Amino acid sequence: MQVREAVTAPTVAYGRAAQQLELRRNEFDLAVQLGHVRTLPGADGGRPRVAAEEIARLRAAPDFPAGLRDRVRTVGTAGAAELASITGDRFTKLVRTGHLSPVAFYLNRYRAVVWLYVAGEVREFADGHPHLLTGRLPASVRSRLEAGEDVRARNWRARRLGLLLRRTDDPWEAAAAIASLLAPDDVAEVVGDPHERAHLDLLRPAPAHPRPESLAARDIVDRLRLADDPDEILWHRMSLALALEDARALRPAPRPDGTGAQLPRARRGPERTRLLHRLRLGRRRAVRAG
């Protein structure tokens, strides 16, 4: 969780904080994403920093460093299946139908997507859903599998968006996070003002994974980053429109001449008001779930 307060107490650089917490860089990134390590904004929009007090708090925990490492330990399908005491095939069926969300992914040397799961979440899932671990899968799960359902990428995107929204209280940054899940054409249809689109591009969150050098691998990663289901696309388009309303009400997007014209707010009828309420409620729930 990123705390938006003036940095007055002693702070530590991002990389140095990882060393002091005895975490590898990818473990530290995940600890920040999951809210286990709180960060402070860097100067002039630079890389976040960590308060020395926060590091001292984490190091003082009785289970440090093993406990912190365990909370950010990730496993692939084989490791997750072993933790849940089920076969890899059964675990894959469960995650394809949305029973557990991946937290990260990478491409192996064959350019196949390898999804990663938080080990602690796998253990909690197994403890809480013993009926899904043995015997025949429920009919609803089987029918979704027969229809070819695979929501791993969609759930990863939803989870990442929830994490991004939880880490900011700025409406423009929230809108940029939502826009990052949409193709440029979709963003342009929702955000008609080119200055607003440029501002959103400037605030676009850094990718969760470095862009691969291979063009083929880059295409795979880019496809995973963008919403691809019609319902998902529609949801994010409407959420972006809502976020823009909040952002415009706070302040207009900057323009080359240093000004910003307040855009008129759309007229609200009863149906639209109810829709906005449902979307805002859904977005808050997504943030809490993330």
Side-chain angles (χ1 to χ4, degrees), residues 22-41:
E22 301 184 31
L23 295 174
R24 293 192 294 269
R25 190 57 171 269
N26 63 326
E27 292 174 330
F28 183 75
D29 288 339
L30 186 57
V32 171
Q33 289 180 39
L34 296 178
H36 298 314
V37 178
R38 296 173 297 196
T39 63
L40 295 164

Side-chain angles (χ1 to χ4, degrees), residues 222-263:
D222 287 344
R223 284 200 301 271
L224 291 174
R225 288 174 178 164
L226 297 179
D228 58 4
D229 180 84
D231 288 341
E232 182 189 10
I233 293 170
L234 177 60
W235 173 264
H236 290 315
R237 283 172 60 114
M238 291 190 295
S239 297
L240 176 57
L242 288 175
L244 276 176
E245 285 195 0
D246 293 341
R248 289 164 177 163
L250 177 67
R251 64 179 184 274
R255 298 177 183 272
D257 60 1
T259 65
Q262 184 75 40
L263 299 180

Side-chain angles (χ1 to χ4, degrees), residues 190-224:
V190 177
V191 190
D193 189 310
H195 300 295
E196 290 186 332
R197 291 201 301 273
H199 190 47
L200 292 178
D201 282 340
L202 204 64
L203 296 174
R204 180 179 291 264
H209 305 80
R211 280 198 93 182
E213 295 182 6
S214 161
L215 187 60
R218 195 178 306 163
D219 288 342
I220 295 171
V221 170
D222 287 344
R223 284 200 301 271
L224 291 174

